[in-house]
């Protein structure tokens, strides 16, 4: 069965597990800087890493919302959306 995705709800993206998953990935990538030999680890440094993870998460979420708005607009104009082929088991 072929299904075409015509519209993606922005609230379904923002209120799902997606923001939490993005935050965890950003937090792990920020804490990889602990292995930098020039890093002096103190509380301000750790808080800076957490703030960098929050900023990265917000940047990814805002860009995802803009992508969804553009996708929904292009699908509303008449351009074909993403097609997914599903099969029963």
């Amino acid at each position: 069965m072929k299904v075409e995705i015509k519209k993606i709800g922005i609230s379904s993206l923002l209120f799902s597990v997606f923001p939490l998953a993005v935050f965890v990935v950003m937090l792990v990538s920020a804490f990889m800087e602990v292995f930098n030999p020039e890093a002096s680890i103190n509380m301000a440094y750790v808080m800076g890493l957490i703030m960098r993870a929050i900023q990265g998460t917000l940047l990814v979420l805002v860009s995802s919302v803009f992508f969804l708005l553009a996708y929904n607009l292009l699908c509303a104009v008449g351009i074909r959306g993403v097609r997914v082929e599903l099969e029963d088991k």
Side-chain angles (χ1 to χ4, degrees), residues 5-88:
I5 301 174
K6 289 285 193 180
K7 184 178 179 186
I8 302 172
I10 294 172
S11 62
S12 68
L13 174 82
L14 293 178
F15 297 115
S16 65
V17 73
F18 180 70
L20 182 63
V22 170
F23 178 70
V24 169
V25 169
M26 291 293 174
L27 195 61
V28 168
S29 66
F31 276 112
M32 289 302 211
E33 292 186 19
V34 171
F35 298 111
N36 187 2
E38 299 173 359
S40 62
I41 300 173
N42 55 17
M43 193 60 162
Y45 182 74
V46 172
M47 291 305 290
L49 291 178
I50 292 172
M51 289 304 294
R52 188 174 306 146
I54 292 172
Q55 288 174 346
T57 302
L58 289 176
L59 183 66
V60 168
L61 289 178
V62 168
S63 61
S64 297
V65 167
F66 282 133
F67 172 75
L68 285 181
L69 287 173
Y71 179 82
N72 290 339
L73 178 71
L74 291 174
C75 284
V77 169
I79 297 176
R80 191 171 11 172
V82 175
R83 290 185 178 213
V84 179
E85 187 171 332
L86 304 173
E87 62 182 58
D88 293 332

